[in-house]
Amino acid sequence: MAGKSRQGIFRSKWITTDRFRVLEPLEVFHKELDGRMIGKSPVQNDHVHFRKKFHLKDCQEVRIRISADDYYKLYVNGIYVCQGPAPGYADAYRYNEVDLTSYVKKGENILAVHVYYQGLVNRVWNSGDNRQGMIADLFQGREYLGGTDHSWVYGQAMEYTGEPIGYETAFAEHIDFIKKERDWKETSFDDSHYRPAVELDGDDHVFEDNPTECITVYQVKPLKIMKKNGTGYLLDFGREYVGQFSMVCQGEKGQKVRIQCGEELDEGNPQAVRYDMRCNCRYQEECILSGGRDELEYYDYKAFRYVNIVTDRDNLDPDSFCLLARNHRFRQRCFLETDIPHLQEIWELCVHTLRCGVQEGFLDCPTREKGQYLGDFTVSGLAYLYLTGDREIYRKTLVDFARSGKVCKGLLAVAPGSFMQEIADFSLQYPLQVWHYYRYTGDRDTLEELYPTVCGVMEYFADYEREDGLLVAVDEKWNLVDWPKNLRDDYEIGGEDRETPNPCHNVLNAFYIGAIQAFDQIRQVLGMPACGKEKRVTAAYLSAFYDSRKRLFADTQQKNHFALHSNVLPAVFRIAPVESLENIKDMILEKGLCCGTQFSYFVLKALAAVGAYEEELELLVNETEHSWVNMLRQGATTCFETWGKEQKWNTSLCHPWSCAPVIVILEDMAGVGSEERKGGEASWKGRRGSLKIVFR
């Protein structure tokens, strides 16, 4: 995981602007509960244009190596090329390498880069730390043509204003086209009023050894366009996407146009978009037209299906309306064919959710948080790996969380990012995630690389062991159990109260045993003996939580309550005595999915663990209010954060942690998924019908 020095990757200088020249980097990393005050960056929502002209004798084999903090969008000769980089810690920063051959011409060319510094401490980037600017090297074949230095020039993009939205994870983008420098990307643009870029010799970015792949950007046209009141428009793109709305305006100078985006329509008015979204994002922005030809270019992304354009004049061009969708490369390699009721729709729902939710990382949601959560990745990461075979982004995510170990060897719940959050249940799933990766790829080198991180996790939690080996009072990290709180089946411990010490309780210790098991499997592959803890901790767990009379597991040692969650994990991790398996199965079938959608992965896998595959399928396609069918009934085109829109106070309607069906169908129905498949088919037939998985 070691990065290289800047000089080891780039030959050029890191460049920035005068306002950042005098700012020292802020330390934004700390333990979540240590109470340390973090300084506030004096600059926020900062848009800058960097430009550089260069000359080519011919157009063969031209490429650029580029990075920026927080983010860049690159244009060559006025044409959009790419954007990035993927978020990363400054001491292991990421960059892109892109072929420019099809964008350049013989003679004079222009590199134009729109660099954005958000300045907020959140889950999106490691922002709010006063690090801003960019670096780039230009090559033709093996010849270095130059790169960023003081000969580059920059100017502030003054057209963007806006208030923070979501969990302070984005700014609204109100655009004043009168202030916009329309041709700044072109060679012909007069940049004599721009200032020389500042070479920042003290820049402390350290870059990874290899470039990361840029996201894919593509155009989606509206499925429906409805003209309203002779002026405004309501657009429906058919399903939810992640990206930016785009259009061309030719209006009067000073004319105002409001753009409202949303995941759903307003229940009280089907001709209006719910832009005050239930996930706590307010997607309403205003643009002021210049009187010329104005091209709407939002910088940041949103997740939406509908767009409402509000204007008092009939002078917009509907042919220009489009959505610039974006996501990580999505090369689907396995496809479902089935006659089982609802299963095809559920599969496609999950597939599209993963397409939207995997950007430069595995997002919790692309709306209010825009961050990569460790526990979410247990489901979304494995589902994406099976569906696409893309081991690189899965590995990248494992490395992202490994690097959070510099803050706490027990790992952060969000990485990378400057928002500090720690969740015990999620950290304990990391060894399992590493094992899933090896099981699929056979990549022993990565297993060796990540082994010290897995050791760090195990050492961290070992400090909370009591005499019999069970964990108690792990209060430094949130004991989540499940989320939202109302879907915990009344589990007796694990609320949001961080002041009351957590007793020894079931779910955290079940995850601890699961982590020990994965740790031992990793050690075995690496030629090491087992850590020697599993038998002792399992015996203590059975003594503490198993009720031999009920043949079920309780939430706490007092054995007053027996939640679904307390019984699912013992089955998944093979802790439960054989005589309890039938009772656990009956409990699951009685309670159904009275849990969060992320935890549903463990519920379904518990049925598989007891050999109840028919019942597992029945639960997957059930039609109660706790089901994927319920999402479909409520108009879902991507998986919801919960089973229904009203089951949480701030429900996201695009949440990849709800994609367990992909894993279940492949592993438990079709019997595949434990290793990469290059082709062929797999099938299954049950009481409800049959299914076939086709690998391409």
Side-chain angles (χ1 to χ4, degrees):
M1 292 181 291
K4 288 186 177 180
S5 67
R6 184 172 67 254
Q7 290 73 24
I9 297 294
F10 287 94
R11 302 189 189 184
S12 304
K13 299 283 189 178
W14 184 273
I15 59 173
T16 186
T17 66
D18 286 289
R19 69 193 308 190
F20 282 92
R21 177 205 298 266
V22 297
L23 297 181
E24 292 293 326
L26 292 173
E27 178 57 59
V28 296
F29 304 113
H30 60 95
K31 294 285 294 173
E32 181 184 0
L33 299 181
D34 71 3
R36 187 164 62 85
M37 295 297 294
I38 304 301
K40 183 177 180 181
S41 177
V43 183
Q44 294 183 349
N45 201 25
D46 185 67
H47 292 262
V48 177
H49 298 156
F50 287 95
R51 284 172 48 90
K52 174 65 177 180
K53 293 178 182 178
F54 65 99
H55 191 87
L56 290 176
K57 295 179 181 179
D58 62 68
C59 306
Q60 301 302 311
E61 298 183 64
V62 180
R63 75 182 194 281
I64 193 170
R65 185 174 294 160
I66 183 170
S67 189
D69 198 339
D70 298 333
Y71 205 68
Y72 75 84
K73 290 189 178 182
L74 170 66
Y75 304 84
V76 175
N77 297 325
I79 301 171
Y80 168 81
V81 178
C82 63
Q83 57 189 277
Y89 296 109
D91 59 358
Y93 211 62
R94 296 199 164 94
Y95 68 95
N96 307 114
E97 196 162 301
V98 182
D99 186 352
L100 300 184
T101 305
S102 61
Y103 299 94
V104 298
K105 60 186 178 181
K106 185 177 180 180
E108 190 173 60
N109 295 264
I110 183 73
L111 292 172
V113 187
H114 186 161
V115 172
Y116 180 59
Y117 172 78
Q118 189 190 68
L120 299 173
V121 172
N122 59 33
R123 301 160 175 85
V124 185
W125 293 301
N126 292 317
S127 196
D129 60 358
N130 291 342
R131 292 181 176 91
Q132 183 267 7
M134 64 165 291
I135 192 168
D137 287 342
L138 193 65
F139 298 90
Q140 188 161 38
R142 295 184 178 181
E143 180 186 359
Y144 173 62
L145 300 181
T148 44
D149 57 22
H150 61 81
S151 69
W152 284 58
V153 295
Y154 77 89
Q156 293 290 144
M158 304 302 295
E159 67 268 27
Y160 296 95
T161 58
E163 65 283 353
I165 58 176
Y167 287 180
E168 292 207 335
T169 44
F171 280 92
E173 297 182 42
H174 307 300
I175 301 176
D176 186 344
F177 286 106
I178 298 172
K179 297 179 180 178
K180 181 177 180 178
E181 295 181 312
R182 185 177 292 103
D183 300 321
W184 74 274
K185 307 167 193 169
E186 306 292 338
T187 309
S188 58
F189 177 72
D190 180 6
D191 58 16
S192 59
H193 61 293
Y194 275 30
R195 297 179 60 84
V198 175
E199 293 182 7
L200 195 61
D201 292 329
D203 173 63
D204 61 353
H205 288 86
V206 178
F207 290 92
E208 282 198 323
D209 292 338
N210 298 303
T212 52
E213 185 173 348
C214 293
I215 60 166
T216 300
V217 179
Y218 52 98
Q219 190 178 100
V220 178
K221 299 296 286 185
L223 190 66
K224 297 178 182 178
I225 301 177
M226 183 179 74
K227 195 169 185 179
K228 299 170 57 181
N229 304 321
T231 52
Y233 293 88
L234 176 63
L235 315 181
D236 180 0
F237 287 92
R239 56 183 178 176
E240 185 150 333
Y241 289 92
V242 174
Q244 300 95 11
F245 175 63
S246 177
M247 70 175 180
V248 175
C249 310
Q250 184 80 44
E252 298 180 18
K253 185 175 182 178
Q255 178 185 342
K256 294 182 179 180
V257 179
R258 287 201 309 277
I259 309 296
Q260 301 166 338
C261 301
E263 297 176 297
E264 56 189 324
L265 297 175
D266 193 313
E267 292 180 4
N269 182 1
Q271 293 188 8
V273 173
R274 182 171 177 167
Y275 61 88
D276 259 324
M277 295 159 60
R278 63 178 73 238
C279 65
N280 284 349
C281 290
R282 192 171 193 269
Y283 284 170
Q284 176 173 253
E285 291 151 321
E286 184 176 84
C287 55
I288 301 173
L289 305 188
S290 69
R293 184 180 184 275
D294 298 320
E295 182 178 350
L296 184 62
E297 293 180 298
Y298 289 122
Y299 194 88
D300 206 351
Y301 65 83
K302 303 176 179 68
F304 61 98
R305 172 179 174 175
Y306 300 98
V307 176
N308 191 35
I309 307 172
V310 182
T311 179
D312 59 358
R313 299 167 204 180
D314 187 14
N315 54 8
L316 303 181
D317 178 12
D319 291 338
S320 71
F321 299 159
C322 75
L323 191 160
L324 299 177
R326 50 167 280 168
N327 49 256
H328 183 70
R329 67 179 180 188
F330 191 80
R331 300 168 185 167
Q332 188 174 347
R333 55 178 286 277
C334 56
F335 300 82
L336 173 68
E337 299 174 8
T338 183
D339 60 1
I340 298 171
H342 306 305
L343 195 62
Q344 190 74 48
E345 294 90 342
I346 292 170
W347 170 273
E348 297 301 336
L349 183 72
C350 294
V351 169
H352 188 60
T353 304
L354 291 165
R355 179 186 290 109
C356 291
V358 184
Q359 296 289 324
E360 279 123 338
F362 288 86
L363 299 187
D364 162 87
C365 63
T367 48
R368 65 167 188 265
E369 283 160 317
K370 294 185 170 184
Q372 187 169 249
Y373 269 80
L374 184 55
D376 299 43
F377 177 62
T378 297
V379 176
S380 59
L382 188 57
Y384 196 83
L385 182 63
Y386 285 168
L387 195 62
T388 67
D390 190 341
R391 61 175 66 188
E392 287 305 313
I393 192 165
Y394 191 103
R395 182 188 184 281
K396 168 189 164 295
T397 305
L398 292 176
V399 171
D400 282 339
F401 283 103
R403 287 178 175 146
S404 78
K406 66 185 178 183
V407 180
C408 174
K409 67 181 179 181
L411 305 187
L412 299 180
V414 185
S418 52
F419 181 82
M420 303 291 100
Q421 189 170 18
E422 301 182 51
I423 300 176
D425 316 49
F426 286 6
S427 295
L428 285 168
Q429 292 173 44
Y430 185 80
L432 184 65
Q433 295 165 356
V434 172
W435 178 246
H436 282 163
Y437 173 80
Y438 174 77
R439 188 170 58 97
Y440 181 85
T441 66
D443 181 358
R444 194 176 188 278
D445 289 343
T446 295
L447 204 63
E448 288 182 344
E449 179 184 351
L450 297 176
Y451 177 72
T453 301
V454 177
C455 286
V457 172
M458 304 310 295
E459 290 167 3
Y460 173 86
F461 284 99
D463 288 343
Y464 290 94
E465 288 183 2
R466 66 184 191 185
E467 189 172 318
D468 61 0
L470 293 181
L471 303 181
V472 64
V474 187
D475 299 322
E476 190 178 57
K477 295 182 187 291
W478 183 11
N479 291 205
L480 180 72
V481 179
D482 201 354
W483 195 251
K485 190 175 181 180
N486 57 297
L487 290 175
R488 290 183 181 142
D489 193 27
D490 297 324
Y491 187 84
E492 283 193 338
I493 187 68
E496 294 178 272
D497 179 6
R498 303 292 289 270
E499 298 177 1
T500 304
N502 285 302
C504 180
H505 65 100
N506 183 315
V507 165
L508 199 66
N509 279 286
F511 275 126
Y512 188 43
I513 295 173
I516 292 170
Q517 293 171 353
F519 185 47
D520 281 346
Q521 289 171 311
I522 292 168
R523 287 175 61 88
Q524 182 179 7
V525 172
L526 297 180
M528 304 175 189
C531 70
K533 283 189 174 183
E534 184 180 0
K535 286 185 178 180
R536 183 170 69 93
V537 178
T538 298
Y541 179 90
L542 290 168
S543 176
F545 306 117
Y546 185 58
D547 186 319
S548 57
R549 183 176 59 84
K550 293 180 179 288
R551 296 185 178 181
L552 290 171
F553 289 84
D555 306 349
T556 63
Q557 292 175 271
Q558 287 69 40
K559 298 179 182 176
N560 295 323
H561 187 260
F562 299 78
L564 174 73
H565 302 68
S566 296
N567 289 274
V568 161
L569 295 178
V572 171
F573 296 127
R574 307 181 306 280
I575 305 167
V578 173
E579 64 270 16
S580 70
L581 297 182
E582 192 67 25
N583 285 23
I584 291 173
K585 182 184 80 170
D586 290 344
M587 170 186 271
I588 294 172
L589 297 180
E590 177 187 348
K591 289 178 176 285
L593 296 173
C594 61
C595 60
T597 54
Q598 190 265 358
F599 197 85
S600 71
Y601 164 70
F602 296 103
V603 176
L604 293 166
K605 295 302 290 183
L607 289 174
V610 302
Y613 298 108
E614 291 279 2
E615 292 86 348
E616 183 183 16
L617 177 63
E618 292 283 346
L619 189 56
L620 195 159
V621 298
N622 90 84
E623 300 180 19
T624 70
E625 64 176 357
H626 289 175
S627 68
W628 285 275
V629 173
N630 194 50
M631 296 184 199
L632 292 167
R633 276 198 301 262
Q634 295 186 11
T637 61
T638 49
C639 291
F640 298 165
E641 182 181 9
T642 54
W643 303 114
K645 294 178 180 180
E646 304 296 336
Q647 291 180 21
K648 189 171 183 282
W649 64 94
N650 60 349
T651 306
S652 151
L653 303 190
C654 182
H655 231 77
W657 78 349
S658 303
C659 291
V662 170
I663 306 169
V664 167
I665 291 168
L666 288 172
E667 287 188 342
D668 302 334
M669 305 297 107
V672 299
S674 60
E675 70 285 322
E676 187 172 4
R677 290 279 292 264
K678 301 295 185 181
E681 298 179 354
S683 59
W684 183 80
K685 185 172 179 61
R687 292 194 300 260
R688 279 236 174 181
S690 62
L691 64 83
K692 180 170 67 174
I693 298 292
V694 179
F695 292 87
R696 298 175 188 167

